[in-house]
Amino acid sequence: MSPRSSRAYRPLSLRRRAWLTAGAVVLSGAGIVTYAMADQGAQSDGRATARKAAIHTLKLQSAGAGRKSLAKRDTDRFSALLVTWDDADAKAKGTPEVRTRDLETGTWSGWQKLTVDPSQADGAEGERAALRGGTESLWTGDSDGVEVRVVNADGTAAGGQPAGMDVKLLDPGTDPKGSGVEPAAFVAGTTTPEASASASASASASASASASASASPSESVPPSASASESASASPSPTPTQTVTASPSPTSTVPAPRPSTVVKPPVITQAEWGASTDYDGTPGYGTEIKAAVIHHTGMDSDNTLSCAESRARMRSIQQEHFARGYYDIGYNFVVDKCGQIFEGRSGGMDLPVIGAHDIGFNTNTVGISYIGNYESAKPSRAALDSIARIVAWKFGMYGIDPTGKVTLVSGSDAGVDGNKVAKGSSITLPRVFGHRDTNATACPGAHLYSKLSRIAALAKTPGISHALATSDYNRDGVTDLVAGVPKANAVKIVPGSVNGPVTAAKVTLTQSSPGVPGSSESGDAFGTSTAWGDVNGDGYADLAIGAPGEDDTSGNADRGQVTVMYGPALDTGFSYTTSGVTAAGAKLGSAVTAGDFNGDGKADVFAAGAGKGGNWNVRLTGGKTTYGTLTAATGAVAYLDAATGDFNQDGYADVALNYRDTGGIGRVVRFAGSATGLTKAGVISVKGGRSIAAGDVNGNGYDDIVIGQPVASESGGRPGGQITMVPGTSTGFTTTGMTTIHQDTSGVPGGDESGDAFGSSVSVGDYDADGYADALAGAPGEDLVRDGANRTNAGNAILVKGGSAGLTGTGSIAVSQDTSGIPGSTETDDRFGSAVSLSDLSGYGRADLTFGADNEDGGDGILLHLPSNSTGLGWSEATIYSKTTLATPTDARLGQSLTP
């Protein structure tokens, strides 16, 4: 174990608490009070002046008979709000509703309901005089006006409201500048053993210490020997013959424990800009016995971009401060993009008592998912992140995530929704939902039904795997890469809340600072690219293939792979072939990345087309393995690789597509394990010229979609097809396999020889229904416009996924003649030469990006088509040309896209 510095908690000084109280500035006689939140950093992107977080309080006005409201009025800036009242035990009558005015447009929203949220604090924190009754916070976006009413079901004003009712307007301020800063609430202490056995290089372990007093809880019942695969069924309280004492908190900071599971990358409180004005000190249990899964429960959270998650975290903390909690109530929070945020301070590697499940806060870890999962479907990325947290915390105590546990209630039944009498015990799955112990819908029906899957994932042998990421600057949004091998360059276009930001593009060549080697004609640098967190710091790193690279010993076209580290992309390393014939190997014809041995860091897989084909696996910090694809001496062709967990064991696997020297398409599966990646063999389904991976049928196993554009190579349709091959616990299966072509019912167009449908393929969930969809290019498609045939104009087709796999129903064709799409079809444009189905704005819906590599006489273009909550954003489609991306003339922009 490596040493680490322990952190001693520094509670609020009297002077600082006095400042917070004195900082409540009355702005007018109407009852506006503003609280400044200390320690808020500057914004990271420099787009606006840094703004500190603040809470603005407006008292509701009395209209007689206990009716309360607030007339429409101008306000200071805010992005979220909640309604609170003096007595935490009092109940609001009717439903609080609000309208807000958009800061930018001046438009007033419709009336939005606020959900009353009973306090979930217990023990000493639950008895605090500072606790207030209130609602959950509603994310409004940047606003500067508000109107509040409390109404009955028929819309009439509801009387009998509790005293002290107000609306608190939450301004989360701007994002903190930089990252990796330890929370300001800590001072360096003595050196103690490292808490986790993790080898991951996270920016900070953030052992932020905080919470209220607490004492030794009772022993849990050992987990059941049999694993439960079904969702927890909301068990009723079951008294046991021997009732153990309910857990009591302690203020003593326990020693951290190492975990058998690598810690996942976590965005610390300092990194998301938490306030450190904690009103109290942390309390601790003695262990972690179970995980309680929550959702934030607000429909407005479903509309958030992951780029706004840090701001939402600050507003949730403000909400919990406003309710009288000592700090944010959850121990961890995740978003739809799989970002993990440190919740309550006190030490992520310690059994910090939260305020998330009254009666059961001690010895549990509370994990909340931003969104309302009664209505939304949970994302694959979020489920994986929740499972990683569960496994890491459980790994400190040797807990089977699929087992059972008996917990003892520490609060009275009926108080704030608690369903279990104080001192009574209840047996639950180790991973259970808030609704199992509390009268609530939390964590929502769609998430609740996935709890057994989370538990099963947390038990997989490869659970220490690096989380998949394509976010090199860690702003929460996927970043796009366009390889331009003819120019020996790659173009990285960052995603944002508004989609790709071409003004912030990064160009990498072998002449760029920090990139190994030098740029030479024919290197084909950028032929293939892949994202992965190679050094385990939470930032995506970029692997780049250059199959035309010559070595220094005279071996022409040996090939090379370069890995550049995010976020700066100015340091990295490169390597070439091992153990195979060097000359003409063309390593880097295909690359992909994934954590093949489950050590918390992504590894790189590369393949070369020369000398019968070759493959190379570079384990981060470990060995390199290699081999040949065939026994032939000639070149194979059309290499493409995809990473996924095809057998759901937690280890990343690889599917490699190629055309053999006999002209037949093949797909070879490589299986991940604790020792790395091994060649499992060629599957029975024929290959094509492209391949992608994702969970198309929504069963938790990644599937592959093979693009088969040429019938002679695949035995498929004359105009091409795509074939989805399901993953299973033993690998791929033809059971449930689906094939889509342009004569499939529901698919636009017709199957015609030369269309080359499937020349490119990408997989992603464009409508956020929980099933991955497929986007396939047909660059050979002929289109007629103005009575003239445009040969090889090209198009692409979006094909929906579902529980039965791919389906033609609901398919959408896109070309430059589609209404709303800029430009127009022209002969030999080759629209669809590359495609990407990935979320470039962070809203949880994959956008469509297309390449047309022969547009404008070979200059090439990209076209971005966003996915919106109501469908595809045709009017927002944008072309990125050689001028926009600064590529050379005839560079054929649009040959390669990642992810």
Side-chain angles (χ1 to χ4, degrees):
M1 293 184 291
S2 58
R4 77 172 178 89
S5 296
S6 66
R7 301 296 179 220
Y9 185 77
R10 180 190 297 159
L12 285 177
S13 65
L14 291 176
R15 177 180 179 184
R16 190 160 186 177
R17 293 188 190 185
W19 174 88
L20 184 61
T21 304
V25 181
V26 178
L27 300 184
S28 77
I32 306 174
V33 181
T34 297
Y35 293 87
M37 306 293 288
D39 297 319
Q40 176 62 47
Q43 187 171 356
S44 62
D45 56 17
R47 290 175 295 178
T49 302
R51 190 179 74 258
K52 288 193 172 185
I55 299 177
H56 312 292
T57 299
L58 287 77
K59 296 184 181 300
L60 301 195
Q61 304 302 306
S62 176
R67 296 188 296 271
K68 300 288 180 68
S69 64
L70 184 70
K72 185 187 294 186
R73 61 174 300 148
D74 298 341
T75 68
D76 289 314
R77 178 175 182 158
F78 65 96
S79 297
L81 57 75
L82 73 155
V83 169
T84 74
W85 48 90
D86 290 344
D87 186 354
D89 294 326
K91 307 297 181 187
K93 308 298 191 298
T95 303
E97 295 183 346
V98 297
R99 297 177 63 206
T100 58
R101 183 176 63 197
D102 185 274
L103 178 67
E104 183 176 347
T105 67
T107 302
W108 283 87
S109 72
W111 286 105
Q112 301 180 78
K113 295 180 179 181
L114 299 180
T115 303
V116 175
D117 183 33
S119 172
Q120 293 300 300
D122 56 19
E125 187 173 7
E127 297 170 359
R128 290 156 56 101
L131 283 182
R132 293 177 62 80
T135 68
E136 294 177 332
S137 63
L138 172 78
W139 182 262
T140 63
D142 292 340
S143 306
D144 64 356
V146 70
E147 182 177 5
V148 185
R149 68 185 187 186
V150 188
V151 296
N152 295 308
D154 61 2
T156 60
Q161 300 305 330
M165 189 170 270
D166 58 32
V167 59
K168 295 189 183 296
L169 310 178
L170 312 178
D171 178 6
T174 48
D175 284 348
K177 185 176 182 179
S179 62
V181 181
E182 292 186 329
F186 300 94
V187 291
T190 59
T191 299
T192 63
E194 172 58 50
S196 170
S198 167
S200 105
S202 307
S204 170
S206 181
S208 38
S210 55
S212 55
S214 356
S216 182
S218 60
E219 292 289 323
S220 66
V221 172
S224 169
S226 61
S228 170
E229 293 298 326
S230 60
S232 46
S234 193
S236 59
T238 307
T240 59
Q241 291 183 342
T242 303
V243 179
T244 57
S246 59
S248 300
T250 175
S251 58
T252 302
V253 180
R257 297 171 62 104
S259 178
T260 57
V261 173
V262 173
K263 179 184 176 182
V266 179
I267 298 171
T268 65
Q269 279 207 350
E271 289 169 335
W272 58 258
S275 170
T276 56
D277 280 317
Y278 313 120
D279 189 9
T281 54
Y284 298 92
T286 58
E287 60 182 315
I288 295 297
K289 296 181 178 181
V292 189
I293 309 303
H294 304 262
H295 67 168
T296 57
M298 300 299 290
D299 284 336
S300 60
D301 285 342
N302 295 341
T303 68
L304 278 172
S305 165
C306 296
E308 299 170 303
S309 293
R310 296 185 189 219
R312 182 58 175 139
M313 285 297 298
R314 295 193 295 275
S315 72
I316 292 172
Q317 188 192 41
Q318 289 175 317
E319 168 198 343
H320 290 188
F321 280 160
R323 295 290 306 279
Y325 293 2
Y326 126 77
D327 190 10
I328 190 169
Y330 309 118
N331 299 105
F332 294 92
V333 179
V334 302
D335 69 9
K336 68 189 81 172
C337 298
Q339 295 187 105
I340 303 174
F341 298 91
E342 177 185 13
R344 175 160 288 208
S345 53
M348 288 185 282
D349 52 0
L350 300 176
V352 177
I353 297 172
H356 57 87
D357 187 8
I358 185 169
F360 299 93
N361 287 313
T362 302
N363 292 344
T364 62
V365 56
I367 305 168
S368 188
Y369 183 179
I370 296 173
N372 181 357
Y373 295 95
E374 279 291 306
S375 52
K377 300 289 181 65
S379 71
R380 174 72 176 273
L383 296 178
D384 194 22
S385 291
I386 294 171
R388 286 287 279 111
I389 302 166
V390 168
W392 177 57
K393 295 295 288 186
F394 283 14
M396 299 175 188
Y397 303 96
I399 293 174
D400 176 1
T402 62
K404 300 278 189 178
V405 63
T406 297
L407 301 176
V408 178
S409 174
S411 297
D412 292 329
V415 174
D416 294 326
N418 182 28
K419 290 160 51 172
V420 186
K422 186 173 183 177
S424 293
S425 61
I426 180 173
T427 300
L428 297 163
R430 290 281 189 174
V431 179
F432 67 89
H434 190 196
R435 64 168 64 180
D436 289 327
T437 56
N438 197 279
T440 176
C442 179
H446 296 304
L447 180 54
Y448 187 76
S449 66
K450 302 293 186 184
L451 297 188
S452 61
R453 180 180 296 181
I454 290 171
L457 286 171
K459 191 179 180 179
T460 58
I463 187 56
S464 286
H465 60 255
L467 295 172
T469 177
S470 299
D471 180 8
Y472 85 93
N473 54 9
R474 212 178 183 192
D475 65 352
V477 184
T478 291
D479 304 311
L480 182 70
V481 182
V484 194
K486 192 173 179 181
N488 282 331
V490 295
K491 300 287 181 175
I492 300 105
V493 184
S496 78
V497 67
N498 295 313
V501 184
T502 56
K505 67 181 178 297
V506 176
T507 300
L508 290 182
T509 71
Q510 288 177 292
S511 298
S512 300
V515 179
S518 58
S519 186
E520 300 160 328
S521 177
D523 284 348
F525 182 81
T527 293
S528 56
T529 53
W531 288 117
D533 185 7
V534 173
N535 58 1
D537 64 356
Y539 295 89
D541 309 309
L542 184 62
I544 307 165
E549 181 78 24
D550 303 339
D551 70 13
T552 57
S553 300
N555 293 307
D557 295 340
R558 182 176 183 179
Q560 180 174 281
V561 175
T562 298
V563 177
M564 300 302 295
Y565 293 122
L569 298 175
D570 60 2
T571 59
F573 62 91
S574 64
Y575 62 95
T576 187
T577 59
S578 299
V580 298
T581 303
K586 294 189 176 182
L587 186 70
S589 300
V591 296
T592 192
D595 192 352
F596 307 132
N597 61 352
D599 66 352
K601 298 179 182 180
D603 312 302
V604 181
F605 174 93
K611 306 293 184 180
N614 58 85
W615 55 272
N616 180 291
V617 180
R618 187 185 186 280
L619 297 180
T620 300
K623 63 182 179 180
T624 295
T625 55
Y626 48 82
T628 57
L629 293 176
T630 72
T633 57
V636 299
Y638 303 110
L639 274 72
D640 195 16
T643 300
D645 186 1
F646 306 129
N647 59 356
Q648 206 181 90
D649 63 356
Y651 300 108
D653 310 306
V654 168
L656 176 67
N657 178 92
Y658 65 93
R659 189 186 68 185
D660 67 20
T661 55
I664 302 300
R666 307 290 184 189
V667 174
V668 59
R669 179 173 70 93
F670 292 81
S673 71
T675 58
L677 200 66
T678 56
K679 185 179 177 182
V682 176
I683 70 173
S684 61
V685 181
K686 288 185 179 178
R689 297 192 177 185
S690 61
I691 196 166
D695 188 4
V696 175
N697 56 16
N699 67 353
Y701 294 87
D702 280 323
D703 314 305
I704 54 171
V705 178
I706 309 168
Q708 300 163 314
V710 180
S712 62
E713 298 170 0
S714 66
R717 304 287 293 204
Q721 62 188 35
I722 58 174
T723 298
M724 172 265 190
V725 185
T728 72
S729 60
T730 57
F732 297 118
T733 179
T734 56
T735 302
M737 185 173 73
T738 51
T739 297
I740 303 292
H741 47 77
Q742 289 187 90
D743 277 349
T744 300
S745 177
V747 177
D751 179 46
E752 300 163 328
S753 180
D755 285 347
F757 177 64
S759 291
S760 57
V761 68
S762 184
V763 169
D765 187 358
Y766 96 97
D767 54 2
D769 66 351
Y771 300 101
D773 311 300
L775 179 63
E781 181 79 22
D782 298 346
L783 297 172
V784 176
R785 178 171 56 82
D786 299 331
N789 184 52
R790 317 286 173 168
T791 305
N792 298 331
N795 75 349
I797 298 176
L798 178 64
V799 181
K800 284 186 60 61
S803 59
L806 293 176
T807 174
T809 303
S811 295
I812 301 170
V814 182
S815 75
Q816 286 187 280
D817 281 344
T818 302
S819 178
I821 297 296
S824 57
T825 56
E826 298 168 327
T827 295
D828 292 329
D829 278 350
R830 286 179 38 85
F831 185 88
S833 55
V835 293
S836 173
L837 196 53
S838 49
D839 181 7
L840 302 177
S841 55
Y843 287 103
R845 298 177 296 270
D847 302 321
L848 286 65
T849 306
F850 311 88
D853 66 1
N854 205 43
E855 175 84 13
D856 296 334
D859 292 346
I861 62 167
L862 304 181
L863 186 143
H864 174 251
L865 176 61
S867 296
N868 299 327
S869 58
T870 56
L872 297 177
W874 302 105
S875 64
E876 302 167 63
T878 305
I879 285 178
Y880 307 134
S881 67
K882 73 169 188 177
T883 302
T884 311
L885 296 181
T887 55
T889 299
D890 297 329
R892 298 185 73 91
L893 174 66
Q895 281 187 306
S896 172
L897 292 172
T898 295

